[in-house]
Amino acid sequence: MARSMKLSVIVPSLTGVVPDGLHGQLEGHEDIELVVVSGVCPVGLARNEGLRRAHGAYIAWVDSDDAVSEDWLESILGTLDRAAVT
């Protein structure tokens, strides 16, 4: 059985490239999985494939050529935590 994840970050990427800085943001977050979908085109099919592979209760997408801020992941987690309280 697959391990329960809080968040799955899906990266559709023809070449397997992940946005700079994303790996570092994942460190220490064992309840977050990175799902990289490579070699699937067009991007809509790659995103759907990522959904099929994901185990997270929540999903975030980021394209391989996107720039992510230093607090991108923490911002998402903060939003999820606030939503769980209300």
Side-chain angles (χ1 to χ4, degrees):
M1 175 175 241
R3 190 171 83 190
S4 177
M5 294 284 158
K6 179 175 185 173
L7 176 68
S8 296
V9 177
I10 300 172
V11 181
S13 173
L14 280 176
T15 60
V17 171
V18 175
D20 289 339
L22 184 56
H23 283 291
Q25 293 185 45
L26 293 168
E27 290 176 14
H29 291 286
E30 286 75 30
D31 59 344
I32 299 174
E33 71 175 336
L34 178 63
V35 180
V36 179
V37 180
S38 60
V40 178
C41 192
V43 71
L45 290 178
R47 289 183 179 128
N48 287 338
E49 178 60 26
L51 275 176
R52 281 189 282 280
R53 295 181 194 177
H55 298 104
Y58 299 96
I59 303 293
W61 278 279
V62 61
D63 289 339
S64 61
D65 60 349
D66 286 345
V68 295
S69 64
E70 293 176 5
D71 65 342
W72 182 79
L73 187 55
E74 288 302 322
S75 176
I76 292 170
L77 294 174
T79 299
L80 293 177
D81 289 344
R82 285 189 301 279
V85 172
T86 59

